[in-house]
Amino acid sequence: MPASISETEVSVVKAFLKGKKLKHLRCRQRAATVIIESGPKDDALGHLRLRKLSATNWAADEFHHSGRWSPLPIQAPLAEALSAVAADFSWLLAA
């Protein structure tokens, strides 16, 4: 079972979004995941889910219109996983 997510790790995601000037996106923690979403809080649209696999390793999933998450070929430390999404799957972060 993965370790719980710390406030520091959530802060890393928030800082990433702010640094990339992605003001239309926000993140929230849910169990061992951090979900990046947009839209109204009561009807949010998921963009990306980061799953904590171990103390240092994270996986990324994209949200489909069907309402399901699909894995991306990314498993890395949190900052590297975020950078890989921005570089290789930038449309997931678009408005």
Side-chain angles (χ1 to χ4, degrees):
M1 179 168 212
S4 62
I5 295 175
S6 70
E7 281 298 317
T8 302
E9 290 165 324
V10 175
S11 295
V12 167
V13 178
K14 288 179 180 178
F16 170 81
L17 296 174
K18 185 176 181 180
K20 295 285 185 184
K21 298 183 171 116
L22 299 169
K23 295 178 182 181
H24 64 286
L25 297 176
R26 65 181 175 279
C27 68
R28 65 181 170 92
Q29 178 184 350
R30 182 172 182 195
T33 67
V34 176
I35 298 172
I36 296 175
E37 60 191 10
S38 65
K41 288 187 178 185
D42 61 347
D43 190 26
L45 173 65
H47 290 255
L48 182 69
R49 177 175 71 179
L50 298 160
R51 289 181 291 120
K52 190 169 188 177
L53 302 175
S54 68
T56 58
N57 206 24
W58 292 72
D61 305 315
E62 67 176 314
F63 190 73
H64 282 274
H65 66 279
S66 64
R68 297 192 177 262
W69 294 98
S70 293
L72 296 172
I74 296 171
Q75 287 191 10
L78 183 56
E80 290 177 31
L82 288 165
S83 294
V85 168
D88 300 331
F89 301 95
S90 59
W91 65 90
L92 295 174
L93 304 174

